[in-house]
Amino acid sequence: MSFVSPLFLWYFMPAVLVAVLVCPRSWRNGIIAVGSLIFYASGAGVFTLLLLACMVLNYLAGPALEPSEWDRARDARRRVLLLCVIGFNVGMLVVWKYAGFATEQIAWFAQAFGGDFPIVELALPIGISFYTFHHISYVVDIYRGERQALKNPVSFATYISMFPQLVAGPIVRYREIADQLPQHRSHRLDDIAAGFPRFALGLCKKTIIADSISPMVDACFSTPPGDMTFAVAWLGALGYTLQLFFDFSGYSDMAIGLGRMLGFRLPENFARPYSSVTITEFWRRWHMSLSRWFRDYVYIPLGGNRDGAAKTYRNLCIVFVLTGFWHGADWTFLVWGMFHGALLIIERAFGWSAAPKARGAMIARRALTFVLVVFGWVFFKSADLTRALNMIGHMLLPDFDGLTDVVEAALTNQRLVLLLIALVVVFLPAHPVTGPLLESSRSKPATGLRIAVMTVGLVYASILVATGTFSPFLYYQF
């Protein structure tokens, strides 16, 4: 079940919201937990059992991981238990997500020496990358004493399986939501009034812009290497840069809006990332919940930037290798992660991570950062490294061959207009960020935007959904 399917929009979401509003307050977590498992099972099927097994183990481990000032002898046992639980969570992710990739590499190596090795083919459980990180956040935050373990299994199930963020984030660290889980939280109609426009904004981003330019992007990236041109390469790279942003930030807006309607404040995930003037700033604005997760649970435990430049660069390399592979089991994702990690190291080494003061320098750095990000997305989108390098090669070598017939047919007037509108939106000033402005501001511009989204935008998006012109969210595959 997708957020942009008629089943979700016209039946599931209204049913859950009505149930939460009319039933006793003490039922709310239960309604959300049951509804979330139904939501997950509708798309994941038998993999729901894997999610439940991981939930049971992490829930049972929680109380044993709590620190005690009266029993210091427990510390060694707690550390061993923490490592075992993290090992279990990471192991599940590695087996289901990376076993196929690993056996493919072994089989290739074996074949080079005349041998043979079986390739494991496993279906990827939906959302496993996200709920694995939620489980790790839960046990680590308890171990550190930042929050107590949840005694109520329904509250725990609500945190892990909450359908707004279960499949594609935002990644909610346990300490960010622990205080919102008790049953005594209030749920008011103004939460729905604030959350629904945010949800509608995300729906518009996804259906009106991201899905509309998707066929053109696919046509560019599926162009045979021999037919690739400068124009096709840049059109595809820019198109995917916009498609990915409006698709994923649209999902995040919908998730945050849904969470608000259910009475939860989920963390922000995007803050106009393409307005960044450095790659360092880009990672403070793009997929912020993932960046914060890696900072808190990988980068800082490794030592962060405390032990000199060499170890700082090492830690950045580790984080971005993991960031790349977290997105997918393919060399293209690894190269994308290493590309961004290298850019961050270069900025830090030469003192370029701070934004320049002069306006002209700011504009130039913003343009450079945007172009570098666009090049990175070519690796992210391409089917393999050969195609990615071929496309980048054509982006660097201008020619006058124009568009291929297939791409030209895919680039309709409507898609061209939407592409230009998306570019204009992306190049607006860095502030304010549209989502939070729409949700909380009472200014005249925010009110006007809410009216536009809730009337013209929502009506048009609903028509597109009703006609079936929507596609799965891009981050569902991760």
Side-chain angles (χ1 to χ4, degrees):
M1 194 188 312
S2 170
F3 285 177
V4 292
S5 66
L7 177 61
F8 179 86
L9 290 172
W10 299 330
Y11 299 99
F12 180 82
M13 183 178 75
V16 172
L17 289 174
V18 169
V20 167
L21 280 172
V22 303
C23 290
R25 185 176 301 170
S26 59
W27 293 18
R28 287 178 180 174
N29 282 356
I31 292 170
I32 294 170
V34 171
S36 297
L37 291 174
I38 293 172
F39 171 85
Y40 187 77
S42 68
V46 70
F47 287 119
T48 307
L49 298 176
L50 178 64
L51 170 62
L52 290 172
C54 293
M55 289 170 60
V56 169
L57 183 138
N58 285 272
Y59 170 74
L60 293 176
L65 289 169
E66 289 185 331
S68 172
E69 58 181 308
W70 307 108
D71 186 5
R72 295 297 183 183
R74 290 184 57 207
D75 288 349
R77 295 195 299 271
R78 287 194 310 117
R79 189 177 301 110
V80 171
L81 177 60
L82 176 69
L83 293 175
C84 290
V85 174
I86 291 177
F88 171 83
N89 289 312
V90 173
M92 290 296 101
L93 181 62
V94 168
V95 168
W96 290 100
K97 191 168 184 174
Y98 303 104
F101 174 77
T103 54
E104 282 179 7
Q105 309 316 306
I106 297 172
W108 177 86
F109 187 78
Q111 188 176 14
F113 290 90
D116 190 21
F117 192 85
I119 296 177
V120 175
E121 296 183 2
L122 296 175
L124 179 65
I126 297 173
I128 189 171
S129 298
F130 292 90
Y131 70 69
T132 296
F133 275 22
H134 287 137
H135 280 131
I136 293 174
S137 172
Y138 177 75
V139 296
V140 172
D141 285 355
I142 293 171
Y143 176 82
R144 291 174 175 174
E146 296 179 354
R147 291 292 186 275
Q148 292 184 330
L150 289 168
K151 304 303 188 290
N152 189 327
V154 175
S155 296
F156 177 78
T158 302
Y159 164 52
I160 297 296
S161 67
M162 190 191 306
F163 69 88
Q165 50 81 45
L166 174 60
V167 175
I171 299 171
V172 184
R173 293 168 296 173
Y174 175 53
R175 63 174 177 268
E176 292 178 300
I177 202 170
D179 295 337
Q180 303 179 49
L181 289 169
Q183 299 278 34
H184 58 71
R185 73 175 189 275
S186 63
H187 181 84
R188 299 166 296 178
L189 288 174
D190 59 356
D191 284 333
I192 294 179
F196 190 73
R198 184 76 182 268
F199 177 86
L201 174 66
L203 182 65
C204 292
K205 283 182 176 181
K206 165 64 175 171
T207 57
I208 297 176
I209 298 180
D211 285 352
S212 295
I213 64 178
S214 175
M216 180 271 296
V217 172
D218 290 340
C220 291
F221 275 86
S222 61
T223 300
D227 296 333
M228 184 64 69
T229 67
F230 177 79
V232 170
W234 272 103
L235 181 64
L238 284 172
Y240 184 68
T241 298
L242 299 172
Q243 179 198 359
L244 182 62
F245 169 71
F246 282 94
D247 186 283
F248 192 24
S249 70
Y251 179 94
S252 295
D253 284 327
M254 297 174 80
I256 293 168
L258 280 167
R260 181 67 184 271
M261 286 190 279
L262 294 171
F264 292 95
R265 302 293 184 97
L266 302 184
E268 295 294 332
N269 215 21
F270 289 88
R272 302 195 59 78
Y274 294 150
S275 65
S276 305
V277 297
T278 66
I279 296 297
T280 302
E281 183 184 1
F282 174 78
W283 280 101
R284 293 180 184 138
R285 292 173 173 269
W286 174 273
H287 204 346
M288 296 186 294
S289 63
L290 178 67
S291 299
R292 289 188 293 257
W293 194 96
F294 272 112
R295 179 197 66 197
D296 292 350
Y297 303 114
V298 180
Y299 182 70
I300 291 176
L302 285 172
N305 56 3
R306 297 191 300 270
D307 299 321
K311 290 188 177 179
T312 297
Y313 302 154
R314 179 206 65 183
N315 297 340
L316 284 171
C317 286
I318 293 172
V319 165
F320 276 89
V321 165
L322 293 176
T323 299
F325 265 139
W326 178 85
H327 282 86
D330 202 301
W331 293 114
T332 53
F333 294 109
L334 175 62
V335 171
W336 170 78
M338 293 174 65
F339 173 72
H340 275 272
L343 292 175
L344 285 169
I345 290 172
I346 291 170
E347 285 187 349
R348 185 177 287 268
F350 289 93
W352 296 341
S353 56
K357 302 293 184 182
R359 179 173 176 81
M362 287 273 289
I363 294 173
R365 289 288 299 276
R366 179 175 177 180
L368 175 61
T369 299
F370 180 75
V371 169
L372 290 172
V373 170
V374 171
F375 275 102
W377 289 139
V378 174
F379 289 106
F380 197 86
K381 168 66 174 174
S382 297
D384 52 59
L385 286 177
T386 302
R387 286 179 174 269
L389 293 173
N390 176 72
M391 194 169 188
I392 287 175
H394 282 85
M395 292 170 70
L396 295 172
L397 297 173
D399 58 51
F400 300 97
D401 294 335
L403 303 176
T404 65
D405 292 339
V406 174
V407 173
E408 194 167 352
L411 185 62
T412 62
N413 290 334
Q414 178 198 21
R415 288 171 187 154
L416 179 59
V417 169
L418 289 171
L419 190 69
L420 294 174
I421 291 173
L423 273 173
V424 170
V425 171
V426 159
F427 287 123
L428 289 174
H431 300 285
V433 179
T434 309
L437 175 75
L438 191 73
E439 183 178 341
S440 59
S441 175
R442 295 295 177 263
S443 65
K444 287 184 179 180
T447 301
L449 179 60
R450 268 192 295 271
I451 293 172
V453 168
M454 296 292 290
T455 54
V456 179
L458 188 58
V459 170
Y460 186 35
S462 299
I463 292 172
L464 293 176
V465 170
T467 56
T469 55
F470 62 90
S471 60
F473 288 94
L474 294 177
Y475 261 65
Y476 273 20
Q477 63 185 297
F478 306 134

